[in-house]
Amino acid sequence: MSTMTREEIEQGLQENRFAPGGTARNAHAEVLAAAAEASGDSELFRDALDNLINSYLYSSESTKMLVPFARLLQEYDKDPGAFSKGDAHSLFWQFKWVATAISESPEIPLESATGWLDQMERRYRIAGYSERPVRESELWFADVIGDDERAERAYARWQAADRDDMSDCHACELNGQGHYAMLRGDDARALEVWQPVLAGDKTCAEEPHRVLATALLPLLRLGRFEEARAQHLRGYRMARGKESLLPSVGKHIEFCALTGNEPRGLEILAEHAAHVAPLANLDDRLSFHGGVLVLLRRLKDLGHGHLPAVPYEGVPRTVAELYEVLRADALDIARRFDARNGTTRVSERFLARIGGATLVDVLPQGVRSAALPQPEPAAAPGAAPVPAPATDGAALAELVRRARAARDLGHPASDGLWAEVAARVGTADAVDPLVRVDVADHRALAAARAGAGDAAALVTAVRDGYRALGREERAALSELRLASVAAQSGAAPGEIRELLAVALRAAEALEADEPLRGRRIALAELSAIRLESYLRSLEATDAHDHGHGHGHGQERAHGELAAELTAFVASHAQSLPDLVAEAEEMLGRIALSEGDPERAVPLLAAAAARAIAAGRPWQAVDPLVLRAGVLMSLGRPEEAEEAARSGLAHAGELTDAEQQAVVRLTLADILLERADAAEAAELALTAAHWFDQAGLTADGGAQARLLLARAYAHQHRNADAAEVLRSTLPDLLEHGEQQALAVREFLGDLLRELGEPREAAEQYLLAAELVKGWEDPRPQAGLAQSAADQLSEARLTPEAVAAYERALELHRLSGDAPVAEVRVLRSLAWLAIREEVSATGVARARALMAEAAGILETPQGDAPESPELRSELAQTWHQLAQVLDRWVSVHVQEDDDEDEESGPAEALGDAELTALRLEEVLLWDRAAGVYTDLGGDHLAERFQCLNNAAWTERELGRPEAGAARLSALIEELRTWPEGSVPEWILPRAERTVAHLTD
């Protein structure tokens, strides 16, 4: 058994402290602790135990910390003086973690758990620490065992005790205080306590992550839906993928199930499929699986029990199957807690949780998932029916209020809310006329966006409807939309300008005290600037068609547009930041169109910043994504990644599937360029999903899958990459010749790595067909050679020969690929003797090898002799010697097996065999001489040549000559610097010398 040195252990501890939390880190920490203990170094052992405790804490195995903590405590009791002040502080701090672990471990008897708390209290008192952490630990222990009176007393004493340097941070304490209020049924108080954490004023390593998750249900129960949605989007990003935060992940899954976002819940579950397996920390397991069970039950009730869920312990499970197995396991854990605690509290709370009712029909999250399929009628007999939308006046009024608020803010959720309003309004008579016009406005806007032929009529009717109800501020907006519809339909410039003038007059005619008057005027101005630019481009095109200059006109149009937008920004920067953000984004795009990306970068950044400051983060996504692409083109990948990540962070509320896809694909592309293939793959996978949702499977979806395949390949997941690429190949082939070529070659490379030579050759040949007519023959030559290599690997010799010959012809056409020519010739030489080592085949092989050597020995222009060409020449001599050796071996075998009918038709005599062997020795000596000149990088090839020559010398009856060659090499290598000779060479050379001289 190998042992680790102190230096190796210390280095391992240093690395482990900064490793991501999880079982891998824990396993490494365990190895280090064992090695430290075996070393007999007490100080090192204490450090390793401390590291192991910390590793367990930030994982799903936190309850395992009890054993190393007990060992560390023993070390302290044996020699407290060996612990520095910091070490002692760390030990007492860990007592709090242990107290939590005791509560979460039903296998620890109640008496032992109480004893640990008593010991914690005694040691803290002796050490002079406040009882504050002790009382908090007592509170949670009392709560879990159902002793509410003790819990109340502990809470009061916790709050009354002084804070000192053993107290938890403020954020963690606020988490606990709010959680206790929630358990007592006071959601409002809990949220009040949590507010500093939710607002980001109090934070730590795990806060606000945990509070954001725990606050979700109180927010829903209090009807604070928008806050709940925002906290879910923010909190899940923080908790996602962190093993120590799986209980928080479970709460986010539960939130999805209770808000009509079951598909999103399934996505989160799938992202954490690896953690659905049994967890070592039973309390975490109960919490995480509890959230999963809420989702699974909801899906069952909706008739989706037959859908695939995620595997459990390696076995694929449907929703219904996973529900049953997780429920049985969780109830068993809950009963174990109850048996230890002497109450039914844990079971009661768990059953109440997984039986919780949906708290809101649909709470849009802004992250759309694939719609669930229509449930099978018989899939869930007895399932509760899906409740119909509420139609009472109060519910409708609240929905209309939310829809109007979202519309006025330009929130992406507006469309969905108005669609829901429209569905509820239906044809009922008792509906506010304004609501009906609002619904018509939403429909008209949708028609305008889609370019529908009746869009103008619909918008006109909405304008008239608003005007009839006295809502002039809405009518003015409709006037502006009529101008946009006209431009979209290709109306004449004069007509569009007249409509813009009408819209501006309508905005200016609004009452002076109308709050939206300034906004309507500014919006009309910005629309006029945007459309006027379009109209000028049309007129410039007409002028060009009539013989007038076009280029200067376009430059002048860009200059005028930029000047107008700059003036708009200056006028409204303080009052209307969201509109100014639009103007600055347009300025950035103008800069790009003029070939000035450096000028575009700050403009796009400013546009994003203004949108965020205006409370419209979704509006920042497009300029951030565009800026990320520009920064990548400028060779600034760190800034590009930052911009793309910011875009993704602000995309949470977008409901447009294509936008969600684009921001993820942009970041994935940047990350892959920066060699972060794992995250790039994850983002590309999600992007593909969103493109599918947008109906862009053959376009953006295909590009996302191509990037996904590239990311998988970077991770050496070649099978996954090939499968992804094959699935989208028909789409990718429609995206131009260059991409089709790259994709075919990429797929061929993947199949080659997977050991599928026939399929790989097919892709290379198809790629070669794509470039067949190109003026440059080199791409086709390279592909033909790759195909030939794979055909040879598949032992399709005639096909391989044909492909090699075609590659050779193309390489010679290019006239600048001597190495490629030589390698093709050598491959053809070997194919000549593959099926049968005959005189004819050997003669052809010899001729091909000689042709290859001739190419390499011919001066290549005026360039000095290339080391690469010298190496290829040595390799050619080496391989020719091997061909001759094969020919000799056939005859020697024939002599040894005289009864065999196989072998050459005409046996060679001894003189001919000797001549061949002498030639082999000469060729290997020549090759070895070249490798010697080329230096240490070619030592392995040099040794192989000398070794082959030595054994051939033995066959010639001159073993001493062979031994002398290798002995000389051995003596030389012993003078080389330490570490410059591969470890295997000298032992092998010495063994060969021993055999030769035996």
Side-chain angles (χ1 to χ4, degrees), residues 39-120:
S39 74
D41 187 322
S42 298
E43 181 183 3
L44 189 61
F45 182 44
R46 291 193 299 270
D47 287 345
L49 286 173
D50 179 79
N51 177 70
L52 181 56
I53 293 165
N54 281 274
S55 295
Y56 283 143
L57 176 69
Y58 293 103
S59 74
S60 62
E61 298 179 318
S62 56
T63 51
K64 287 186 177 183
M65 74 173 65
L66 294 172
V67 173
F69 178 79
R71 294 292 305 278
L72 190 58
L73 198 59
Q74 288 175 1
E75 293 291 315
Y76 180 80
D77 289 339
K78 283 192 301 184
D79 186 9
F83 283 67
S84 68
K85 184 178 179 180
D87 292 338
H89 184 277
S90 175
L91 177 69
F92 279 87
W93 186 274
Q94 290 166 351
F95 238 123
K96 299 183 295 182
W97 303 343
V98 169
T100 301
I102 290 168
S103 297
E104 296 173 349
S105 305
E107 66 275 9
I108 297 179
L110 210 56
E111 298 77 10
S112 298
T114 302
W116 271 101
L117 281 173
D118 292 343
Q119 183 180 174
M120 179 183 179

Side-chain angles (χ1 to χ4, degrees), residues 580-705:
V580 170
E582 289 185 38
E584 285 180 319
E585 182 180 348
M586 290 173 63
L587 283 168
R589 293 180 182 275
I590 291 170
L592 289 177
S593 69
E594 293 176 339
D596 192 351
E598 291 287 1
R599 181 160 55 93
V601 168
L603 288 167
L604 295 171
R610 285 191 198 275
I612 294 166
R616 303 187 181 205
W618 55 87
Q619 188 181 327
V621 175
D622 281 350
L624 284 168
V625 170
L626 181 57
R627 183 170 182 266
V630 174
L631 288 166
M632 279 300 288
S633 71
L634 292 172
R636 294 154 65 179
E638 295 86 356
E639 294 174 75
E641 180 180 341
E642 181 182 358
R645 285 196 184 280
S646 182
L648 181 58
H650 294 300
E653 297 178 72
L654 292 174
T655 56
D656 183 83
E658 184 177 1
Q659 285 182 294
Q660 290 285 358
V662 168
V663 65
R664 285 166 171 79
L665 186 58
T666 299
L667 180 54
D669 198 18
I670 292 168
L671 289 172
L672 191 58
E673 289 296 318
R674 304 201 68 197
D676 188 349
E679 189 178 359
E682 178 186 337
L683 289 162
L685 183 63
T686 310
H689 165 77
W690 282 111
F691 277 123
D692 291 345
Q693 294 299 297
L696 298 170
T697 299
D699 299 305
Q703 299 306 317
R705 289 185 176 87

Side-chain angles (χ1 to χ4, degrees), residues 398-408 413-414 417-418 421:
E398 170 59 18
L399 179 61
V400 169
R401 184 197 66 76
R402 290 166 53 206
R404 285 172 176 163
R407 179 190 65 190
D408 294 343
S414 174
L417 290 168
W418 280 116
V421 171

Side-chain angles (χ1 to χ4, degrees), residues 560-583:
E560 292 173 359
L561 176 58
E564 291 166 355
L565 289 170
T566 301
F568 182 89
V569 169
S571 298
H572 303 288
Q574 301 303 316
S575 57
L576 296 168
D578 60 310
L579 295 182
V580 170
E582 289 185 38

Side-chain angles (χ1 to χ4, degrees), residues 450-475:
D454 60 347
L458 292 172
V459 174
T460 300
V462 168
R463 178 201 62 189
D464 295 344
Y466 278 130
R467 193 156 284 160
L469 294 172
R471 299 302 299 269
E472 292 295 334
E473 82 286 357
R474 298 296 305 170

